[in-house]
Amino acid sequence: MTSFAEVYAAVEATIAEHAHAQDEGRVGDMVALYWSDAVVEIPGIATLKGVEAIREAFSRPAWQPDPANPQRHVVANSVVTDWSDREAKVTSDVVMVKFDGAAWAPAIVARYHDEFGESGGRWLLRRRADEYVGYHP
């Protein structure tokens, strides 16, 4: 039987891997953290259904990180709200900061509502729903 600590560590690792891959523009590595039929909900855009839709959206030039002005998704306060040996629901706070050449500043303040499923020892995202708390263009 999988313990709560094992589930928590596994989903935290996936969340961190996702943030690093997204911030570095490694779309393939990011998409590998999703189930093939995963759903991503981001306010203001159509719901993304399946890894190909997720890959296409995050491959768009407007969604790719700018090496001259890097970004970082800082994810914290993750709470596992429900879990079993094979599934988990997690809520996390996220702040995306961007570097404008002189200083880092918050760009987005949000909350992730994630659903994970275990697959071959890895905990992959089945669903991610972003909830924007604050946005600073």
Side-chain angles (χ1 to χ4, degrees), residues 77 91-94 109-113 128-133:
N77 304 328
T91 300
S92 304
D93 292 325
V94 60
V109 178
R111 181 163 276 175
Y112 290 152
H113 300 280
R128 168 164 279 177
D130 291 1
E131 172 191 0
Y132 290 145
V133 178

PDB file of all heavy atoms in Angstrom, residues 77 91-94 109-113 128-133:
ATOM      1  N   ASN A  77       2.797  25.697  -1.079  1.00  0.00           N
ATOM      2  CA  ASN A  77       1.581  25.445  -0.301  1.00  0.00           C
ATOM      3  C   ASN A  77       0.712  24.345  -0.908  1.00  0.00           C
ATOM      4  O   ASN A  77      -0.516  24.422  -0.864  1.00  0.00           O
ATOM      5  CB  ASN A  77       0.750  26.729  -0.148  1.00  0.00           C
ATOM      6  CG  ASN A  77       1.537  27.849   0.474  1.00  0.00           C
ATOM      7  OD1 ASN A  77       2.420  27.619   1.298  1.00  0.00           O
ATOM      8  ND2 ASN A  77       1.248  29.068   0.083  1.00  0.00           N
ATOM      9  N   THR A  91      -4.125  20.827  -4.418  1.00  0.00           N
ATOM     10  CA  THR A  91      -4.291  22.259  -4.660  1.00  0.00           C
ATOM     11  C   THR A  91      -2.989  22.945  -4.278  1.00  0.00           C
ATOM     12  O   THR A  91      -2.447  22.695  -3.193  1.00  0.00           O
ATOM     13  CB  THR A  91      -5.462  22.825  -3.827  1.00  0.00           C
ATOM     14  OG1 THR A  91      -6.659  22.134  -4.207  1.00  0.00           O
ATOM     15  CG2 THR A  91      -5.638  24.305  -4.052  1.00  0.00           C
ATOM     16  N   SER A  92      -2.482  23.800  -5.166  1.00  0.00           N
ATOM     17  CA  SER A  92      -1.211  24.494  -4.936  1.00  0.00           C
ATOM     18  C   SER A  92      -1.344  25.960  -5.309  1.00  0.00           C
ATOM     19  O   SER A  92      -2.084  26.312  -6.230  1.00  0.00           O
ATOM     20  CB  SER A  92      -0.093  23.903  -5.810  1.00  0.00           C
ATOM     21  OG  SER A  92       0.060  22.525  -5.621  1.00  0.00           O
ATOM     22  N   ASP A  93      -0.590  26.801  -4.610  1.00  0.00           N
ATOM     23  CA  ASP A  93      -0.481  28.202  -4.985  1.00  0.00           C
ATOM     24  C   ASP A  93       0.704  28.342  -5.939  1.00  0.00           C
ATOM     25  O   ASP A  93       1.710  27.639  -5.804  1.00  0.00           O
ATOM     26  CB  ASP A  93      -0.245  29.079  -3.757  1.00  0.00           C
ATOM     27  CG  ASP A  93      -1.459  29.124  -2.846  1.00  0.00           C
ATOM     28  OD1 ASP A  93      -2.594  29.088  -3.361  1.00  0.00           O
ATOM     29  OD2 ASP A  93      -1.278  29.192  -1.619  1.00  0.00           O
ATOM     30  N   VAL A  94       0.579  29.272  -6.887  1.00  0.00           N
ATOM     31  CA  VAL A  94       1.671  29.505  -7.835  1.00  0.00           C
ATOM     32  C   VAL A  94       1.784  30.998  -8.119  1.00  0.00           C
ATOM     33  O   VAL A  94       0.783  31.692  -8.251  1.00  0.00           O
ATOM     34  CB  VAL A  94       1.474  28.704  -9.156  1.00  0.00           C
ATOM     35  CG1 VAL A  94       0.192  29.090  -9.855  1.00  0.00           C
ATOM     36  CG2 VAL A  94       2.653  28.880 -10.085  1.00  0.00           C
ATOM     37  N   VAL A 109      -0.477  35.484 -10.361  1.00  0.00           N
ATOM     38  CA  VAL A 109      -0.703  34.818  -9.079  1.00  0.00           C
ATOM     39  C   VAL A 109      -1.905  33.911  -9.301  1.00  0.00           C
ATOM     40  O   VAL A 109      -2.958  34.364  -9.757  1.00  0.00           O
ATOM     41  CB  VAL A 109      -0.978  35.834  -7.945  1.00  0.00           C
ATOM     42  CG1 VAL A 109      -1.252  35.104  -6.642  1.00  0.00           C
ATOM     43  CG2 VAL A 109       0.197  36.798  -7.798  1.00  0.00           C
ATOM     44  N   ALA A 110      -1.737  32.626  -9.028  1.00  0.00           N
ATOM     45  CA  ALA A 110      -2.779  31.665  -9.375  1.00  0.00           C
ATOM     46  C   ALA A 110      -2.826  30.524  -8.368  1.00  0.00           C
ATOM     47  O   ALA A 110      -2.016  30.442  -7.444  1.00  0.00           O
ATOM     48  CB  ALA A 110      -2.539  31.115 -10.778  1.00  0.00           C
ATOM     49  N   ARG A 111      -3.759  29.659  -8.607  1.00  0.00           N
ATOM     50  CA  ARG A 111      -3.888  28.426  -7.835  1.00  0.00           C
ATOM     51  C   ARG A 111      -4.091  27.300  -8.854  1.00  0.00           C
ATOM     52  O   ARG A 111      -4.849  27.435  -9.796  1.00  0.00           O
ATOM     53  CB  ARG A 111      -5.076  28.527  -6.879  1.00  0.00           C
ATOM     54  CG  ARG A 111      -5.248  27.274  -6.026  1.00  0.00           C
ATOM     55  CD  ARG A 111      -6.126  27.557  -4.846  1.00  0.00           C
ATOM     56  NE  ARG A 111      -5.258  28.144  -3.805  1.00  0.00           N
ATOM     57  CZ  ARG A 111      -5.695  28.606  -2.654  1.00  0.00           C
ATOM     58  NH1 ARG A 111      -6.972  28.588  -2.372  1.00  0.00           N
ATOM     59  NH2 ARG A 111      -4.850  29.101  -1.777  1.00  0.00           N
ATOM     60  N   TYR A 112      -3.370  26.202  -8.648  1.00  0.00           N
ATOM     61  CA  TYR A 112      -3.564  25.002  -9.460  1.00  0.00           C
ATOM     62  C   TYR A 112      -4.498  24.062  -8.714  1.00  0.00           C
ATOM     63  O   TYR A 112      -4.313  23.817  -7.522  1.00  0.00           O
ATOM     64  CB  TYR A 112      -2.246  24.251  -9.670  1.00  0.00           C
ATOM     65  CG  TYR A 112      -1.216  24.905 -10.551  1.00  0.00           C
ATOM     66  CD1 TYR A 112       0.134  24.642 -10.345  1.00  0.00           C
ATOM     67  CD2 TYR A 112      -1.558  25.742 -11.600  1.00  0.00           C
ATOM     68  CE1 TYR A 112       1.111  25.198 -11.150  1.00  0.00           C
ATOM     69  CE2 TYR A 112      -0.591  26.314 -12.411  1.00  0.00           C
ATOM     70  CZ  TYR A 112       0.747  26.033 -12.179  1.00  0.00           C
ATOM     71  OH  TYR A 112       1.710  26.585 -12.975  1.00  0.00           O
ATOM     72  N   HIS A 113      -5.437  23.515  -9.434  1.00  0.00           N
ATOM     73  CA  HIS A 113      -6.279  22.435  -8.932  1.00  0.00           C
ATOM     74  C   HIS A 113      -5.941  21.230  -9.813  1.00  0.00           C
ATOM     75  O   HIS A 113      -6.344  21.176 -10.978  1.00  0.00           O
ATOM     76  CB  HIS A 113      -7.766  22.799  -9.035  1.00  0.00           C
ATOM     77  CG  HIS A 113      -8.109  24.034  -8.248  1.00  0.00           C
ATOM     78  ND1 HIS A 113      -8.304  24.006  -6.889  1.00  0.00           N
ATOM     79  CD2 HIS A 113      -8.259  25.323  -8.632  1.00  0.00           C
ATOM     80  CE1 HIS A 113      -8.596  25.226  -6.465  1.00  0.00           C
ATOM     81  NE2 HIS A 113      -8.557  26.048  -7.505  1.00  0.00           N
ATOM     82  N   ARG A 128      -5.506  19.623 -14.937  1.00  0.00           N
ATOM     83  CA  ARG A 128      -5.013  20.823 -14.245  1.00  0.00           C
ATOM     84  C   ARG A 128      -5.967  21.955 -14.587  1.00  0.00           C
ATOM     85  O   ARG A 128      -6.192  22.263 -15.758  1.00  0.00           O
ATOM     86  CB  ARG A 128      -3.596  21.189 -14.668  1.00  0.00           C
ATOM     87  CG  ARG A 128      -3.185  22.583 -14.174  1.00  0.00           C
ATOM     88  CD  ARG A 128      -1.721  22.840 -14.220  1.00  0.00           C
ATOM     89  NE  ARG A 128      -1.095  22.230 -13.046  1.00  0.00           N
ATOM     90  CZ  ARG A 128       0.199  22.232 -12.814  1.00  0.00           C
ATOM     91  NH1 ARG A 128       1.017  22.802 -13.668  1.00  0.00           N
ATOM     92  NH2 ARG A 128       0.689  21.651 -11.723  1.00  0.00           N
ATOM     93  N   ALA A 129      -6.513  22.562 -13.562  1.00  0.00           N
ATOM     94  CA  ALA A 129      -7.373  23.738 -13.733  1.00  0.00           C
ATOM     95  C   ALA A 129      -6.693  24.908 -13.039  1.00  0.00           C
ATOM     96  O   ALA A 129      -6.476  24.869 -11.821  1.00  0.00           O
ATOM     97  CB  ALA A 129      -8.751  23.474 -13.152  1.00  0.00           C
ATOM     98  N   ASP A 130      -6.353  25.922 -13.813  1.00  0.00           N
ATOM     99  CA  ASP A 130      -5.737  27.129 -13.259  1.00  0.00           C
ATOM    100  C   ASP A 130      -6.842  28.072 -12.785  1.00  0.00           C
ATOM    101  O   ASP A 130      -7.864  28.230 -13.459  1.00  0.00           O
ATOM    102  CB  ASP A 130      -4.917  27.867 -14.314  1.00  0.00           C
ATOM    103  CG  ASP A 130      -3.669  27.124 -14.741  1.00  0.00           C
ATOM    104  OD1 ASP A 130      -3.436  26.010 -14.244  1.00  0.00           O
ATOM    105  OD2 ASP A 130      -2.938  27.668 -15.586  1.00  0.00           O
ATOM    106  N   GLU A 131      -6.607  28.677 -11.672  1.00  0.00           N
ATOM    107  CA  GLU A 131      -7.524  29.699 -11.143  1.00  0.00           C
ATOM    108  C   GLU A 131      -6.673  30.938 -10.892  1.00  0.00           C
ATOM    109  O   GLU A 131      -5.790  30.928 -10.023  1.00  0.00           O
ATOM    110  CB  GLU A 131      -8.152  29.223  -9.844  1.00  0.00           C
ATOM    111  CG  GLU A 131      -8.958  30.271  -9.135  1.00  0.00           C
ATOM    112  CD  GLU A 131      -9.356  29.853  -7.718  1.00  0.00           C
ATOM    113  OE1 GLU A 131      -9.006  28.735  -7.268  1.00  0.00           O
ATOM    114  OE2 GLU A 131     -10.011  30.659  -7.056  1.00  0.00           O
ATOM    115  N   TYR A 132      -6.876  31.991 -11.691  1.00  0.00           N
ATOM    116  CA  TYR A 132      -6.094  33.192 -11.502  1.00  0.00           C
ATOM    117  C   TYR A 132      -6.616  33.983 -10.321  1.00  0.00           C
ATOM    118  O   TYR A 132      -7.790  34.244 -10.200  1.00  0.00           O
ATOM    119  CB  TYR A 132      -6.113  34.069 -12.750  1.00  0.00           C
ATOM    120  CG  TYR A 132      -5.336  33.484 -13.900  1.00  0.00           C
ATOM    121  CD1 TYR A 132      -5.749  33.654 -15.210  1.00  0.00           C
ATOM    122  CD2 TYR A 132      -4.169  32.756 -13.688  1.00  0.00           C
ATOM    123  CE1 TYR A 132      -5.033  33.122 -16.269  1.00  0.00           C
ATOM    124  CE2 TYR A 132      -3.452  32.213 -14.732  1.00  0.00           C
ATOM    125  CZ  TYR A 132      -3.884  32.415 -16.025  1.00  0.00           C
ATOM    126  OH  TYR A 132      -3.184  31.881 -17.058  1.00  0.00           O
ATOM    127  N   VAL A 133      -5.678  34.349  -9.450  1.00  0.00           N
ATOM    128  CA  VAL A 133      -5.993  35.154  -8.283  1.00  0.00           C
ATOM    129  C   VAL A 133      -5.604  36.600  -8.571  1.00  0.00           C
ATOM    130  O   VAL A 133      -6.248  37.535  -8.122  1.00  0.00           O
ATOM    131  CB  VAL A 133      -5.266  34.602  -7.039  1.00  0.00           C
ATOM    132  CG1 VAL A 133      -5.546  35.452  -5.826  1.00  0.00           C
ATOM    133  CG2 VAL A 133      -5.641  33.153  -6.793  1.00  0.00           C
TER     134      VAL A 133
END
